Amino acid sequence: MKLLKTFNSSTHVVRYCHAVVLFVLLLPLQAHFFSWDKTETRRPAVLQLQVWDNDFFSLDDYLGAVEFNLCNMPPPAKTSGKCCQEQFGDPTIGRKPKKEYVNLFDSKRLKGWWPIRDIGPEGEIIHAGMAEMELEILTKDDSEAKPAGESRDDPNLNPTLDPPNRPETSFLWFTSPWKTFKYIIWKHYKWWIIGILLLLLLGAAIALFLYSAPGYSVRKAFGFN
């Protein structure tokens, strides 16, 4: 079978075998590096997604994660405004999930918004963001009939992913000096810049007056034009 994970900007394909009765994943793994034969290993049907900040110079920053048991997972919110931590239940404080959990292997396809979570300084779960995803379970025959490429590689189908619609403020500051000035410097220091320019113009006018005043006074005193 194939698990098709579609984010709002990329697609990931994970192939595996699923034991319907046991609700576990059957993965062919090698016992060690020099092993010739692969052994079948049973793993829980758990999907963990992590969100990292892609830094250019420094190390990437961990932002949060979300983990699903595909056999018992919270349904997605239809819109980003309805995405919240209440989608997950918390037995430690007796909080029930906002909606009944669903089985992805029965639903076959889920699409919507899930909250990204992180651990706070006191060990509490905090809301770190939201992710719009589409999860789809396909059999081997269905996956061959509906091919999908990694990210936006060919074939960019099932579903077709358009280029990401990033805001104008999403750029590397050293590659776009004009955008850096417009969205960072001018936006926050506009009135300071205008004030400094006016002071410079006023200072230049005063300096020009002081420089020209003696010569003009002498010409007026002696009747020169």
Side-chain angles (χ1 to χ4, degrees):
M1 301 180 72
K2 181 175 75 172
L3 170 61
L4 181 66
K5 301 183 297 178
T6 304
F7 300 85
N8 56 356
S9 60
S10 62
T11 300
H12 300 271
V13 180
V14 180
R15 290 181 172 83
Y16 60 91
C17 295
H18 177 248
V20 179
V21 178
L22 299 177
F23 290 104
V24 294
L25 300 181
L26 306 180
L27 302 176
L29 298 176
Q30 288 180 316
H32 49 80
F33 180 77
F34 297 100
S35 176
W36 289 93
D37 299 326
K38 293 184 178 181
T39 58
E40 192 175 79
T41 304
R42 297 177 180 179
R43 297 289 178 84
V46 175
L47 173 65
Q48 185 184 61
L49 305 174
Q50 295 183 350
V51 180
W52 292 77
D53 182 21
N54 185 17
D55 292 331
F56 191 82
F57 293 107
S58 60
L59 296 177
D60 295 343
D61 298 324
Y62 173 78
L63 301 180
V66 61
E67 185 175 293
F68 302 120
N69 184 338
L70 301 182
C71 304
N72 190 31
M73 61 181 295
K78 298 300 182 183
T79 62
S80 58
K82 296 181 180 180
C83 183
C84 59
Q85 293 297 329
E86 284 69 23
Q87 291 175 239
F88 291 87
D90 192 348
T92 59
I93 59 176
R95 186 182 72 192
K96 295 183 178 181
K98 195 172 182 180
K99 294 183 179 180
E100 292 294 331
Y101 279 13
V102 296
N103 188 334
L104 181 61
F105 297 99
D106 294 334
S107 301
K108 301 300 182 183
R109 180 176 177 270
L110 294 173
K111 180 180 180 181
W113 294 82
W114 282 274
I116 301 297
R117 307 192 291 178
D118 195 9
I119 305 299
E122 298 181 359
E124 75 279 9
I125 297 178
I126 59 176
H127 186 74
M130 295 174 289
E132 184 183 17
M133 296 181 289
E134 179 180 350
L135 305 177
E136 185 177 6
I137 293 289
L138 298 174
T139 63
K140 181 179 180 180
D141 294 336
D142 291 338
S143 65
E144 293 176 353
K146 298 172 61 177
E150 292 283 347
S151 187
R152 285 184 295 276
D153 296 339
D154 293 331
N156 187 4
L157 300 171
N158 305 307
T160 301
L161 298 178
D162 298 325
N165 185 19
R166 295 189 177 97
E168 294 183 351
T169 54
S170 177
F171 59 89
L172 295 176
W173 63 270
F174 56 86
T175 60
S176 304
W178 168 245
K179 286 187 176 181
T180 302
F181 175 79
K182 179 180 179 181
Y183 292 107
I184 299 178
I185 300 176
W186 180 257
K187 181 178 180 180
H188 295 90
Y189 304 101
K190 175 175 62 176
W191 298 113
W192 283 95
I193 296 173
I194 293 176
I196 291 173
L197 290 176
L198 291 177
L199 288 176
L200 290 176
L201 290 175
L202 180 61
I206 294 175
L208 182 62
F209 173 77
L210 294 177
Y211 176 79
S212 304
Y216 180 76
S217 300
V218 171
R219 288 197 299 271
K220 291 293 290 184
F222 290 94
F224 295 110
N225 294 328

